[in-house]
């Protein structure tokens, strides 16, 4: 049973470019969460999605950030016009239907903005 | 005041020691409590989760929740060098979706 998959593992973007991060949840999981982790800091919730629906995006910056979880395919976290402050590790987690609190994390995507 | 407070450490112990990791929280509405282990440059791994006061044991790990004091603990018995990692406490509300994480405690177990 494959775990949560994220790609790419490392992403380098110049300021002003777009970053697109992908997350495939565990098989049978229909809930996806995105978190950001800065060096020496804990995980900060960004957004919670179910298939084709954004349920809670209260942790997402209002501008430049968006997320989707289409009916088919992985969940995507998109950051437009990246700035140096966006450099961080971005983790995706998934949980099984009805068990929101057992979240299983992927290996993360480390975004570096130059 | 942060919703969840966790001492970042580092905490250094000899192999075989009992390790105690702790978090305090301010919102009494938190209902679900988790502990994650995160190795360097890896994703967090769920260790324990509980939703009631008291103790929950799994192998060498024991999670303890004291809702009256808003205090949770993770105990690691017979600690091993492979336990060296950052341990994150986390908690969430009933019916809620957002999980709040502590900053993590870095643990080093010396052989």
């Amino acid at each position: 049973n494959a775990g949560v998959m994220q790609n790419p593992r490392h992403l380098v973007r110049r300021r002003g470019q777009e970053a697109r991060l992908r997350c495939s949840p565990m098989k049978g999981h229909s809930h996806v969460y995105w978190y950001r982790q800065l060096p020496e800091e804990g995980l900060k919730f960004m957004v919670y999605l179910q298939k084709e629906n954004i349920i809670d995006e209260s942790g997402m910056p209002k501008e430049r950030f968006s997320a989707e979880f289409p009916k088919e395919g992985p969940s995507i976290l998109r950051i437009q016009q990246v700035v140096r402050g966006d450099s961080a590790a971005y983790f995706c987690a998934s949980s099984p239907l009805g068990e929101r609190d057992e979240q299983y994390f992927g290996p993360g995507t480390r975004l570096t903005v130059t | 005041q942060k919703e969840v407070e966790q001492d970042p450490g580092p905490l250094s112990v000899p192999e075989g020691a009992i390790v105690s990791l702790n978090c305090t929280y301010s919102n009494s509405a938190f209902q679900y409590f988790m502990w994650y282990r995160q190795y360097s440059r890896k994703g967090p791994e769920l260790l324990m989760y509980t939703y009631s006061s008291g103790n929950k044991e799994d192998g060498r790990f024991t999670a303890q929740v004291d809702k009256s004091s808003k205090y949770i603990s993770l105990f690691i018995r017979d600690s091993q060098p492979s336990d060296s990692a950052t341990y994150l406490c986390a908690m969430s509300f009933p019916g809620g979706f957002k999980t709040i994480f502590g900053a993590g405690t870095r643990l080093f177990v010396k052989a």
Side-chain angles (χ1 to χ4, degrees):
Chain A
N1 185 14
V4 177
M5 298 174 68
Q6 289 186 251
N7 67 80
R9 295 292 307 277
H10 301 275
L11 183 61
V12 179
R13 285 288 178 265
R14 291 198 184 96
R15 278 179 297 172
Q17 291 185 318
E18 178 179 284
R20 194 171 293 199
L21 289 61
R22 294 175 186 77
C23 169
S24 296
M26 286 179 70
K27 187 177 180 181
H29 288 195
S30 58
H31 302 245
V32 166
Y33 312 77
W34 285 94
Y35 293 85
R36 177 163 60 179
Q37 187 174 42
L38 293 168
E40 307 303 323
E41 291 189 21
L43 291 155
K44 303 296 184 188
F45 168 83
M46 298 181 74
V47 62
Y48 163 55
L49 310 103
Q50 294 180 17
K51 285 281 187 183
E52 301 184 278
N53 284 305
I54 297 174
I55 307 301
D56 182 347
E57 57 181 345
S58 59
M60 195 105 92
K62 293 285 185 280
E63 297 177 353
R64 301 188 299 108
F65 286 73
S66 63
E68 62 178 17
F69 189 14
K71 187 177 180 181
E72 301 290 339
S75 175
I76 307 283
L77 178 67
R78 186 180 289 110
I79 311 172
Q80 296 177 307
Q81 299 176 310
V82 295
V83 300
R84 287 222 172 105
D86 296 332
S87 296
Y90 292 83
F91 289 95
C92 164
S94 72
S95 67
L97 183 65
E99 295 184 64
R100 300 187 183 95
D101 305 295
E102 289 193 65
Q103 295 181 24
Y104 297 87
F105 281 80
T109 293
R110 278 161 183 82
L111 172 65
T112 302
V113 179
T114 61
Chain B
Q1 182 188 12
K2 289 183 181 178
E3 283 189 284
V4 180
E5 298 276 1
Q6 184 175 12
D7 187 337
L11 178 63
S12 184
V13 301
E15 183 176 359
I18 296 174
V19 176
S20 172
L21 303 165
N22 311 296
C23 285
T24 58
Y25 59 97
S26 57
N27 194 330
S28 58
F30 282 129
Q31 197 73 22
Y32 301 97
F33 305 91
M34 287 76 72
W35 284 95
Y36 286 83
R37 177 175 62 196
Q38 185 176 24
Y39 291 112
S40 181
R41 308 189 77 76
K42 302 286 187 184
E45 171 193 5
L46 179 65
L47 284 176
M48 304 279 283
Y49 89 102
T50 184
Y51 50 85
S52 59
S53 282
N55 294 353
K56 181 177 181 179
E57 192 172 314
D58 185 1
R60 296 185 296 113
F61 299 93
T62 299
Q64 188 175 80
V65 175
D66 182 348
K67 290 186 179 179
S68 62
S69 301
K70 301 194 190 70
Y71 189 87
I72 67 170
S73 300
L74 178 72
F75 298 97
I76 307 174
R77 289 183 298 281
D78 188 24
S79 56
Q80 304 295 311
S82 59
D83 294 328
S84 298
T86 296
Y87 289 80
L88 301 156
C89 65
M91 44 200 79
S92 62
F93 305 100
F97 312 107
K98 184 189 301 187
T99 299
I100 310 298
F101 283 81
T105 299
R106 293 181 68 187
L107 171 67
F108 296 96
V109 181
K110 298 172 292 185

mmCIF file of all heavy atoms in Angstrom, chain A residues 50-95:
data_model
loop_
_atom_site.group_PDB
_atom_site.id
_atom_site.type_symbol
_atom_site.label_atom_id
_atom_site.label_comp_id
_atom_site.label_asym_id
_atom_site.label_seq_id
_atom_site.Cartn_x
_atom_site.Cartn_y
_atom_site.Cartn_z
ATOM 1 N N GLN A 50 -11.417 18.124 0.049
ATOM 2 C CA GLN A 50 -11.952 16.848 -0.359
ATOM 3 C C GLN A 50 -12.049 16.887 -1.883
ATOM 4 O O GLN A 50 -11.866 17.935 -2.483
ATOM 5 C CB GLN A 50 -13.311 16.601 0.279
ATOM 6 C CG GLN A 50 -13.252 16.454 1.793
ATOM 7 C CD GLN A 50 -14.608 16.197 2.408
ATOM 8 O OE1 GLN A 50 -15.549 15.819 1.716
ATOM 9 N NE2 GLN A 50 -14.724 16.420 3.701
ATOM 10 N N LYS A 51 -12.367 15.777 -2.469
ATOM 11 C CA LYS A 51 -12.440 15.722 -3.931
ATOM 12 C C LYS A 51 -13.344 16.844 -4.464
ATOM 13 O O LYS A 51 -14.501 16.954 -4.083
ATOM 14 C CB LYS A 51 -13.010 14.377 -4.376
ATOM 15 C CG LYS A 51 -12.037 13.218 -4.260
ATOM 16 C CD LYS A 51 -11.050 13.189 -5.401
ATOM 17 C CE LYS A 51 -10.199 11.927 -5.368
ATOM 18 N NZ LYS A 51 -9.189 11.923 -6.439
ATOM 19 N N GLU A 52 -12.770 17.681 -5.300
ATOM 20 C CA GLU A 52 -13.476 18.775 -5.993
ATOM 21 C C GLU A 52 -13.989 19.860 -5.068
ATOM 22 O O GLU A 52 -14.735 20.738 -5.499
ATOM 23 C CB GLU A 52 -14.635 18.220 -6.829
ATOM 24 C CG GLU A 52 -14.200 17.220 -7.895
ATOM 25 C CD GLU A 52 -15.351 16.764 -8.767
ATOM 26 O OE1 GLU A 52 -16.084 15.859 -8.339
ATOM 27 O OE2 GLU A 52 -15.510 17.341 -9.860
ATOM 28 N N ASN A 53 -13.596 19.847 -3.803
ATOM 29 C CA ASN A 53 -14.083 20.865 -2.873
ATOM 30 C C ASN A 53 -12.962 21.363 -1.959
ATOM 31 O O ASN A 53 -12.180 20.579 -1.443
ATOM 32 C CB ASN A 53 -15.193 20.301 -1.982
ATOM 33 C CG ASN A 53 -16.504 20.190 -2.709
ATOM 34 O OD1 ASN A 53 -16.997 21.167 -3.265
ATOM 35 N ND2 ASN A 53 -17.060 19.000 -2.715
ATOM 36 N N ILE A 54 -12.929 22.670 -1.763
ATOM 37 C CA ILE A 54 -12.077 23.254 -0.731
ATOM 38 C C ILE A 54 -12.936 23.410 0.514
ATOM 39 O O ILE A 54 -13.956 24.095 0.489
ATOM 40 C CB ILE A 54 -11.514 24.614 -1.165
ATOM 41 C CG1 ILE A 54 -10.608 24.459 -2.392
ATOM 42 C CG2 ILE A 54 -10.744 25.267 -0.019
ATOM 43 C CD1 ILE A 54 -10.123 25.779 -2.972
ATOM 44 N N ILE A 55 -12.536 22.746 1.605
ATOM 45 C CA ILE A 55 -13.356 22.761 2.811
ATOM 46 C C ILE A 55 -12.911 23.887 3.758
ATOM 47 O O ILE A 55 -13.724 24.565 4.350
ATOM 48 C CB ILE A 55 -13.288 21.413 3.537
ATOM 49 C CG1 ILE A 55 -13.639 20.263 2.578
ATOM 50 C CG2 ILE A 55 -14.192 21.420 4.758
ATOM 51 C CD1 ILE A 55 -15.016 20.387 1.959
ATOM 52 N N ASP A 56 -11.603 24.047 3.905
ATOM 53 C CA ASP A 56 -11.093 25.054 4.826
ATOM 54 C C ASP A 56 -9.777 25.581 4.265
ATOM 55 O O ASP A 56 -8.833 24.824 4.137
ATOM 56 C CB ASP A 56 -10.878 24.437 6.218
ATOM 57 C CG ASP A 56 -10.399 25.434 7.263
ATOM 58 O OD1 ASP A 56 -9.993 26.563 6.914
ATOM 59 O OD2 ASP A 56 -10.403 25.070 8.455
ATOM 60 N N GLU A 57 -9.748 26.832 3.897
ATOM 61 C CA GLU A 57 -8.515 27.429 3.375
ATOM 62 C C GLU A 57 -8.076 28.590 4.257
ATOM 63 O O GLU A 57 -7.421 29.520 3.798
ATOM 64 C CB GLU A 57 -8.683 27.872 1.925
ATOM 65 C CG GLU A 57 -9.824 28.850 1.701
ATOM 66 C CD GLU A 57 -9.972 29.234 0.227
ATOM 67 O OE1 GLU A 57 -9.041 28.967 -0.561
ATOM 68 O OE2 GLU A 57 -11.026 29.799 -0.117
ATOM 69 N N SER A 58 -8.413 28.521 5.522
ATOM 70 C CA SER A 58 -8.153 29.636 6.427
ATOM 71 C C SER A 58 -6.667 29.888 6.662
ATOM 72 O O SER A 58 -6.282 30.966 7.085
ATOM 73 C CB SER A 58 -8.855 29.399 7.771
ATOM 74 O OG SER A 58 -8.395 28.196 8.355
ATOM 75 N N GLY A 59 -5.822 28.896 6.380
ATOM 76 C CA GLY A 59 -4.395 29.075 6.574
ATOM 77 C C GLY A 59 -3.644 29.480 5.323
ATOM 78 O O GLY A 59 -2.417 29.642 5.344
ATOM 79 N N MET A 60 -4.349 29.672 4.260
ATOM 80 C CA MET A 60 -3.729 29.981 2.975
ATOM 81 C C MET A 60 -3.638 31.491 2.805
ATOM 82 O O MET A 60 -4.612 32.206 3.042
ATOM 83 C CB MET A 60 -4.596 29.421 1.846
ATOM 84 C CG MET A 60 -3.869 29.374 0.542
ATOM 85 S SD MET A 60 -3.394 27.750 0.153
ATOM 86 C CE MET A 60 -4.824 27.318 -0.782
ATOM 87 N N PRO A 61 -2.468 32.006 2.384
ATOM 88 C CA PRO A 61 -2.386 33.437 2.066
ATOM 89 C C PRO A 61 -3.427 33.795 1.007
ATOM 90 O O PRO A 61 -3.720 33.001 0.113
ATOM 91 C CB PRO A 61 -0.960 33.589 1.519
ATOM 92 C CG PRO A 61 -0.204 32.460 2.139
ATOM 93 C CD PRO A 61 -1.182 31.320 2.225
ATOM 94 N N LYS A 62 -3.964 34.985 1.142
ATOM 95 C CA LYS A 62 -5.078 35.380 0.271
ATOM 96 C C LYS A 62 -4.645 35.565 -1.179
ATOM 97 O O LYS A 62 -5.433 35.365 -2.107
ATOM 98 C CB LYS A 62 -5.695 36.696 0.774
ATOM 99 C CG LYS A 62 -6.383 36.560 2.116
ATOM 100 C CD LYS A 62 -7.711 35.848 1.982
ATOM 101 C CE LYS A 62 -8.487 35.803 3.274
ATOM 102 N NZ LYS A 62 -8.059 34.770 4.185
ATOM 103 N N GLU A 63 -3.405 35.926 -1.388
ATOM 104 C CA GLU A 63 -2.928 36.185 -2.745
ATOM 105 C C GLU A 63 -1.858 35.172 -3.130
ATOM 106 O O GLU A 63 -1.119 34.668 -2.301
ATOM 107 C CB GLU A 63 -2.365 37.616 -2.840
ATOM 108 C CG GLU A 63 -3.413 38.683 -2.567
ATOM 109 C CD GLU A 63 -2.827 40.090 -2.604
ATOM 110 O OE1 GLU A 63 -1.597 40.226 -2.709
ATOM 111 O OE2 GLU A 63 -3.612 41.045 -2.526
ATOM 112 N N ARG A 64 -1.813 34.869 -4.375
ATOM 113 C CA ARG A 64 -0.772 34.071 -5.045
ATOM 114 C C ARG A 64 -0.869 32.577 -4.781
ATOM 115 O O ARG A 64 -0.300 31.801 -5.529
ATOM 116 C CB ARG A 64 0.645 34.568 -4.663
ATOM 117 C CG ARG A 64 0.921 36.017 -4.994
ATOM 118 C CD ARG A 64 2.406 36.360 -4.766
ATOM 119 N NE ARG A 64 2.821 36.175 -3.377
ATOM 120 C CZ ARG A 64 3.607 35.185 -2.961
ATOM 121 N NH1 ARG A 64 4.055 34.271 -3.798
ATOM 122 N NH2 ARG A 64 3.950 35.105 -1.684
ATOM 123 N N PHE A 65 -1.576 32.156 -3.751
ATOM 124 C CA PHE A 65 -1.671 30.735 -3.408
ATOM 125 C C PHE A 65 -3.047 30.202 -3.784
ATOM 126 O O PHE A 65 -4.065 30.848 -3.536
ATOM 127 C CB PHE A 65 -1.448 30.509 -1.912
ATOM 128 C CG PHE A 65 -0.021 30.638 -1.459
ATOM 129 C CD1 PHE A 65 0.585 31.889 -1.390
ATOM 130 C CD2 PHE A 65 0.719 29.519 -1.098
ATOM 131 C CE1 PHE A 65 1.899 32.019 -0.978
ATOM 132 C CE2 PHE A 65 2.039 29.643 -0.677
ATOM 133 C CZ PHE A 65 2.624 30.884 -0.620
ATOM 134 N N SER A 66 -3.072 28.988 -4.349
ATOM 135 C CA SER A 66 -4.336 28.324 -4.621
ATOM 136 C C SER A 66 -4.122 26.823 -4.535
ATOM 137 O O SER A 66 -2.995 26.330 -4.667
ATOM 138 C CB SER A 66 -4.880 28.715 -5.998
ATOM 139 O OG SER A 66 -3.995 28.301 -7.021
ATOM 140 N N ALA A 67 -5.208 26.102 -4.303
ATOM 141 C CA ALA A 67 -5.119 24.647 -4.200
ATOM 142 C C ALA A 67 -6.343 24.037 -4.848
ATOM 143 O O ALA A 67 -7.419 24.636 -4.870
ATOM 144 C CB ALA A 67 -5.016 24.219 -2.744
ATOM 145 N N GLU A 68 -6.156 22.829 -5.361
ATOM 146 C CA GLU A 68 -7.272 22.097 -5.940
ATOM 147 C C GLU A 68 -7.059 20.610 -5.727
ATOM 148 O O GLU A 68 -5.934 20.128 -5.542
ATOM 149 C CB GLU A 68 -7.411 22.402 -7.434
ATOM 150 C CG GLU A 68 -6.215 21.994 -8.262
ATOM 151 C CD GLU A 68 -6.411 22.283 -9.750
ATOM 152 O OE1 GLU A 68 -7.296 23.068 -10.107
ATOM 153 O OE2 GLU A 68 -5.656 21.692 -10.542
ATOM 154 N N PHE A 69 -8.157 19.883 -5.763
ATOM 155 C CA PHE A 69 -8.122 18.421 -5.659
ATOM 156 C C PHE A 69 -9.197 17.919 -6.621
ATOM 157 O O PHE A 69 -10.349 17.742 -6.257
ATOM 158 C CB PHE A 69 -8.418 17.996 -4.223
ATOM 159 C CG PHE A 69 -8.195 16.538 -3.942
ATOM 160 C CD1 PHE A 69 -7.488 15.723 -4.812
ATOM 161 C CD2 PHE A 69 -8.698 15.973 -2.782
ATOM 162 C CE1 PHE A 69 -7.285 14.378 -4.547
ATOM 163 C CE2 PHE A 69 -8.494 14.636 -2.489
ATOM 164 C CZ PHE A 69 -7.796 13.833 -3.372
ATOM 165 N N PRO A 70 -8.816 17.716 -7.878
ATOM 166 C CA PRO A 70 -9.808 17.362 -8.888
ATOM 167 C C PRO A 70 -10.335 15.941 -8.703
ATOM 168 O O PRO A 70 -9.762 15.144 -7.954
ATOM 169 C CB PRO A 70 -9.032 17.505 -10.205
ATOM 170 C CG PRO A 70 -7.604 17.313 -9.811
ATOM 171 C CD PRO A 70 -7.467 17.845 -8.426
ATOM 172 N N LYS A 71 -11.396 15.653 -9.400
ATOM 173 C CA LYS A 71 -12.008 14.332 -9.327
ATOM 174 C C LYS A 71 -11.015 13.252 -9.717
ATOM 175 O O LYS A 71 -10.971 12.165 -9.126
ATOM 176 C CB LYS A 71 -13.234 14.285 -10.241
ATOM 177 C CG LYS A 71 -14.055 13.020 -10.136
ATOM 178 C CD LYS A 71 -15.293 13.109 -11.026
ATOM 179 C CE LYS A 71 -16.116 11.839 -10.918
ATOM 180 N NZ LYS A 71 -17.311 11.889 -11.803
ATOM 181 N N GLU A 72 -10.222 13.543 -10.737
ATOM 182 C CA GLU A 72 -9.179 12.618 -11.154
ATOM 183 C C GLU A 72 -7.824 13.295 -11.003
ATOM 184 O O GLU A 72 -7.683 14.463 -11.334
ATOM 185 C CB GLU A 72 -9.391 12.209 -12.619
ATOM 186 C CG GLU A 72 -10.738 11.549 -12.891
ATOM 187 C CD GLU A 72 -10.837 10.176 -12.282
ATOM 188 O OE1 GLU A 72 -9.778 9.569 -12.008
ATOM 189 O OE2 GLU A 72 -11.969 9.706 -12.057
ATOM 190 N N GLY A 73 -6.844 12.567 -10.546
ATOM 191 C CA GLY A 73 -5.498 13.117 -10.471
ATOM 192 C C GLY A 73 -5.145 13.635 -9.097
ATOM 193 O O GLY A 73 -5.958 13.618 -8.162
ATOM 194 N N PRO A 74 -3.907 14.126 -8.967
ATOM 195 C CA PRO A 74 -3.417 14.541 -7.660
ATOM 196 C C PRO A 74 -3.963 15.892 -7.229
ATOM 197 O O PRO A 74 -4.522 16.649 -8.027
ATOM 198 C CB PRO A 74 -1.898 14.627 -7.883
ATOM 199 C CG PRO A 74 -1.768 15.018 -9.323
ATOM 200 C CD PRO A 74 -2.893 14.291 -10.034
ATOM 201 N N SER A 75 -3.762 16.187 -5.969
ATOM 202 C CA SER A 75 -4.030 17.538 -5.475
ATOM 203 C C SER A 75 -2.848 18.420 -5.884
ATOM 204 O O SER A 75 -1.701 17.975 -5.911
ATOM 205 C CB SER A 75 -4.171 17.525 -3.956
ATOM 206 O OG SER A 75 -4.314 18.848 -3.461
ATOM 207 N N ILE A 76 -3.147 19.659 -6.201
ATOM 208 C CA ILE A 76 -2.128 20.610 -6.645
ATOM 209 C C ILE A 76 -2.153 21.828 -5.734
ATOM 210 O O ILE A 76 -3.223 22.399 -5.466
ATOM 211 C CB ILE A 76 -2.383 21.101 -8.083
ATOM 212 C CG1 ILE A 76 -2.539 19.927 -9.049
ATOM 213 C CG2 ILE A 76 -1.289 22.074 -8.522
ATOM 214 C CD1 ILE A 76 -1.264 19.271 -9.447
ATOM 215 N N LEU A 77 -0.971 22.216 -5.255
ATOM 216 C CA LEU A 77 -0.800 23.502 -4.572
ATOM 217 C C LEU A 77 -0.017 24.391 -5.521
ATOM 218 O O LEU A 77 1.078 24.039 -5.949
ATOM 219 C CB LEU A 77 -0.049 23.337 -3.251
ATOM 220 C CG LEU A 77 0.219 24.627 -2.465
ATOM 221 C CD1 LEU A 77 -1.083 25.226 -1.944
ATOM 222 C CD2 LEU A 77 1.173 24.374 -1.299
ATOM 223 N N ARG A 78 -0.583 25.516 -5.873
ATOM 224 C CA ARG A 78 0.020 26.417 -6.847
ATOM 225 C C ARG A 78 0.396 27.730 -6.173
ATOM 226 O O ARG A 78 -0.426 28.317 -5.454
ATOM 227 C CB ARG A 78 -0.952 26.673 -7.995
ATOM 228 C CG ARG A 78 -0.374 27.490 -9.131
ATOM 229 C CD ARG A 78 -1.414 27.694 -10.223
ATOM 230 N NE ARG A 78 -1.716 26.475 -10.970
ATOM 231 C CZ ARG A 78 -2.868 25.809 -10.885
ATOM 232 N NH1 ARG A 78 -3.834 26.245 -10.092
ATOM 233 N NH2 ARG A 78 -3.062 24.728 -11.599
ATOM 234 N N ILE A 79 1.619 28.143 -6.404
ATOM 235 C CA ILE A 79 2.083 29.433 -5.881
ATOM 236 C C ILE A 79 2.519 30.279 -7.066
ATOM 237 O O ILE A 79 3.464 29.929 -7.789
ATOM 238 C CB ILE A 79 3.274 29.271 -4.896
ATOM 239 C CG1 ILE A 79 2.970 28.204 -3.843
ATOM 240 C CG2 ILE A 79 3.561 30.617 -4.213
ATOM 241 C CD1 ILE A 79 4.166 27.861 -2.961
ATOM 242 N N GLN A 80 1.829 31.358 -7.282
ATOM 243 C CA GLN A 80 2.160 32.235 -8.408
ATOM 244 C C GLN A 80 3.129 33.330 -7.961
ATOM 245 O O GLN A 80 3.116 33.740 -6.784
ATOM 246 C CB GLN A 80 0.878 32.860 -8.962
ATOM 247 C CG GLN A 80 -0.077 31.830 -9.559
ATOM 248 C CD GLN A 80 -1.376 32.461 -10.037
ATOM 249 O OE1 GLN A 80 -2.030 33.167 -9.288
ATOM 250 N NE2 GLN A 80 -1.728 32.209 -11.286
ATOM 251 N N GLN A 81 3.946 33.772 -8.886
ATOM 252 C CA GLN A 81 4.877 34.890 -8.631
ATOM 253 C C GLN A 81 5.618 34.714 -7.312
ATOM 254 O O GLN A 81 5.527 35.548 -6.415
ATOM 255 C CB GLN A 81 4.115 36.214 -8.652
ATOM 256 C CG GLN A 81 3.454 36.495 -9.986
ATOM 257 C CD GLN A 81 2.622 37.773 -9.957
ATOM 258 O OE1 GLN A 81 1.801 37.967 -9.078
ATOM 259 N NE2 GLN A 81 2.876 38.641 -10.922
ATOM 260 N N VAL A 82 6.342 33.618 -7.206
ATOM 261 C CA VAL A 82 6.995 33.276 -5.939
ATOM 262 C C VAL A 82 7.968 34.362 -5.510
ATOM 263 O O VAL A 82 8.587 35.051 -6.322
ATOM 264 C CB VAL A 82 7.723 31.917 -6.036
ATOM 265 C CG1 VAL A 82 6.726 30.788 -6.264
ATOM 266 C CG2 VAL A 82 8.802 31.928 -7.107
ATOM 267 N N VAL A 83 8.074 34.481 -4.177
ATOM 268 C CA VAL A 83 9.037 35.398 -3.546
ATOM 269 C C VAL A 83 9.924 34.565 -2.624
ATOM 270 O O VAL A 83 9.615 33.412 -2.308
ATOM 271 C CB VAL A 83 8.315 36.508 -2.753
ATOM 272 C CG1 VAL A 83 7.412 37.322 -3.677
ATOM 273 C CG2 VAL A 83 7.499 35.927 -1.606
ATOM 274 N N ARG A 84 11.031 35.178 -2.166
ATOM 275 C CA ARG A 84 11.994 34.423 -1.355
ATOM 276 C C ARG A 84 11.351 33.872 -0.090
ATOM 277 O O ARG A 84 11.696 32.798 0.379
ATOM 278 C CB ARG A 84 13.190 35.316 -1.004
ATOM 279 C CG ARG A 84 14.104 35.565 -2.172
ATOM 280 C CD ARG A 84 15.575 35.493 -1.776
ATOM 281 N NE ARG A 84 16.426 35.556 -2.962
ATOM 282 C CZ ARG A 84 17.113 36.624 -3.317
ATOM 283 N NH1 ARG A 84 17.041 37.729 -2.596
ATOM 284 N NH2 ARG A 84 17.876 36.595 -4.398
ATOM 285 N N GLY A 85 10.394 34.608 0.456
ATOM 286 C CA GLY A 85 9.722 34.167 1.676
ATOM 287 C C GLY A 85 8.881 32.909 1.502
ATOM 288 O O GLY A 85 8.440 32.323 2.492
ATOM 289 N N ASP A 86 8.661 32.497 0.255
ATOM 290 C CA ASP A 86 7.913 31.255 0.006
ATOM 291 C C ASP A 86 8.806 30.020 0.159
ATOM 292 O O ASP A 86 8.306 28.889 0.161
ATOM 293 C CB ASP A 86 7.314 31.263 -1.404
ATOM 294 C CG ASP A 86 6.288 32.369 -1.593
ATOM 295 O OD1 ASP A 86 5.647 32.764 -0.597
ATOM 296 O OD2 ASP A 86 6.124 32.836 -2.742
ATOM 297 N N SER A 87 10.111 30.221 0.277
ATOM 298 C CA SER A 87 11.024 29.084 0.437
ATOM 299 C C SER A 87 10.700 28.355 1.733
ATOM 300 O O SER A 87 10.716 28.951 2.815
ATOM 301 C CB SER A 87 12.482 29.575 0.468
ATOM 302 O OG SER A 87 12.849 30.159 -0.758
ATOM 303 N N ALA A 88 10.393 27.086 1.616
ATOM 304 C CA ALA A 88 9.966 26.294 2.774
ATOM 305 C C ALA A 88 9.798 24.854 2.308
ATOM 306 O O ALA A 88 9.901 24.543 1.120
ATOM 307 C CB ALA A 88 8.643 26.816 3.337
ATOM 308 N N ALA A 89 9.486 23.989 3.269
ATOM 309 C CA ALA A 89 9.067 22.632 2.947
ATOM 310 C C ALA A 89 7.546 22.597 2.979
ATOM 311 O O ALA A 89 6.936 23.087 3.936
ATOM 312 C CB ALA A 89 9.640 21.634 3.935
ATOM 313 N N TYR A 90 6.962 22.044 1.944
ATOM 314 C CA TYR A 90 5.506 21.947 1.853
ATOM 315 C C TYR A 90 5.128 20.472 1.949
ATOM 316 O O TYR A 90 5.571 19.646 1.153
ATOM 317 C CB TYR A 90 4.997 22.560 0.548
ATOM 318 C CG TYR A 90 5.183 24.058 0.512
ATOM 319 C CD1 TYR A 90 6.405 24.622 0.140
ATOM 320 C CD2 TYR A 90 4.145 24.911 0.879
ATOM 321 C CE1 TYR A 90 6.584 26.003 0.134
ATOM 322 C CE2 TYR A 90 4.317 26.290 0.874
ATOM 323 C CZ TYR A 90 5.537 26.822 0.507
ATOM 324 O OH TYR A 90 5.711 28.182 0.504
ATOM 325 N N PHE A 91 4.301 20.175 2.945
ATOM 326 C CA PHE A 91 3.898 18.798 3.176
ATOM 327 C C PHE A 91 2.418 18.628 2.865
ATOM 328 O O PHE A 91 1.597 19.488 3.180
ATOM 329 C CB PHE A 91 4.156 18.390 4.625
ATOM 330 C CG PHE A 91 5.610 18.242 4.964
ATOM 331 C CD1 PHE A 91 6.308 19.294 5.546
ATOM 332 C CD2 PHE A 91 6.293 17.061 4.688
ATOM 333 C CE1 PHE A 91 7.652 19.174 5.853
ATOM 334 C CE2 PHE A 91 7.638 16.931 4.990
ATOM 335 C CZ PHE A 91 8.314 17.985 5.569
ATOM 336 N N CYS A 92 2.134 17.501 2.314
ATOM 337 C CA CYS A 92 0.760 17.093 2.072
ATOM 338 C C CYS A 92 0.462 15.913 3.000
ATOM 339 O O CYS A 92 1.343 15.095 3.272
ATOM 340 C CB CYS A 92 0.636 16.684 0.600
ATOM 341 S SG CYS A 92 -0.814 15.737 0.195
ATOM 342 N N ALA A 93 -0.756 15.865 3.492
ATOM 343 C CA ALA A 93 -1.201 14.734 4.306
ATOM 344 C C ALA A 93 -2.554 14.271 3.795
ATOM 345 O O ALA A 93 -3.302 15.060 3.202
ATOM 346 C CB ALA A 93 -1.287 15.125 5.777
ATOM 347 N N SER A 94 -2.859 13.013 4.023
ATOM 348 C CA SER A 94 -4.189 12.524 3.665
ATOM 349 C C SER A 94 -4.766 11.738 4.823
ATOM 350 O O SER A 94 -4.034 11.273 5.710
ATOM 351 C CB SER A 94 -4.147 11.670 2.392
ATOM 352 O OG SER A 94 -3.539 10.411 2.629
ATOM 353 N N SER A 95 -6.078 11.635 4.827
ATOM 354 C CA SER A 95 -6.731 10.844 5.865
ATOM 355 C C SER A 95 -7.892 10.083 5.257
ATOM 356 O O SER A 95 -8.462 10.507 4.244
ATOM 357 C CB SER A 95 -7.200 11.740 7.014
ATOM 358 O OG SER A 95 -8.241 12.597 6.611
#
